[in-house]
Structure formats: C-alpha cells, structure tokens
Amino acid sequence: MSLSIQTASSQLQHTMQIQGDMAKGLIKPSAMAQDETNPVSFSALMEQKIASVNNDQLVSDALTRAVDTGESDDLVGAMVATQKASLSFDAMMQIRNRLMQAFDDIMKMPI
C-alpha cells in the first residue's frame, strides 16, 4: 500500500511540475503544439481530459486513504489533492453541460 501512495504522490508532483512549466511558458501544451497538418481530434482530446480527471480522483483517494489509515501524515497534501480532483470534475461537468446545451440548440434549429 505504501508503494502505491508513493507512486501517486510522485505522479502528482510530476504533474504539478509540468503544469508549473506550462504556466511559465517553458512547455507548450500538446494540443496547442500540434500543427494544422496533424490536427487533434475532439474525441481524443476528451478521452485525454477524462483520463486526467480520473487520475486526479485516484490520486486524491489514495492520499486520503493513506491519511485515514495512518500511513501518512500529509493531511494538507491530501486536502489539496481532493480539492484539485473536485475542481477538475466540476469543470468537466460544466463542459459536458455546455456541450449538451449546444447540441440541444442545434437540434431545435429550423431547417
């Protein structure tokens, strides 16, 4: 169990490092780095983002479980991971709601 917590923690740190570098402009996001000859498909992008949200949930669960069982005393890290997972899930749900609303609007258009 301790190995999976360390793995989850290292994955979280790696993700935070990459996002920090992206925020500083040192790394371009992969979706924006694509040129027009090789476009990113919408379904592939959505699958990637859903997998990312799922990974955030799994990391949050692992860190919370570690704190609950006493294997870790990093309560702050667990709470931050939980909030990150919650925010990413809420954002994904907002995107889904907007897509469904746009689909409904298109379906209601007269031909």
Side-chain angles (χ1 to χ4, degrees):
M1 185 70 177
S2 178
L3 181 61
S4 66
I5 294 167
Q6 291 174 348
T7 304
S9 178
S10 66
Q11 286 177 348
L12 181 62
Q13 289 175 347
H14 180 68
T15 303
M16 290 174 65
Q17 178 65 37
I18 290 173
Q19 289 175 348
D21 290 345
M22 287 171 52
K24 293 175 187 173
L26 300 175
I27 300 174
K28 290 186 179 183
S30 62
M32 298 206 174
Q34 298 288 329
D35 57 4
E36 286 132 18
T37 60
N38 190 11
V40 176
S41 72
F42 180 75
S43 61
L45 184 61
M46 288 304 292
E47 286 176 9
Q48 178 186 7
K49 294 305 175 186
I50 290 171
S52 174
V53 170
N54 185 41
N55 187 39
D56 290 344
Q57 292 283 337
L58 294 174
V59 167
S60 170
D61 289 343
L63 292 174
T64 302
R65 190 177 313 111
V67 170
D68 288 344
T69 59
E71 293 177 17
S72 173
D73 60 349
D74 186 19
L75 180 61
V76 174
M79 293 302 296
V80 168
T82 301
Q83 287 298 316
K84 180 183 175 194
S86 176
L87 286 173
S88 63
F89 183 77
D90 289 343
M92 182 183 68
M93 292 305 296
Q94 288 295 323
I95 291 169
R96 181 196 63 96
N97 292 342
R98 295 283 171 104
L99 286 171
M100 293 304 296
Q101 182 182 7
F103 179 76
D104 288 340
D105 290 346
I106 290 171
M107 293 304 291
K108 291 177 184 177
M109 285 183 179
I111 346 185

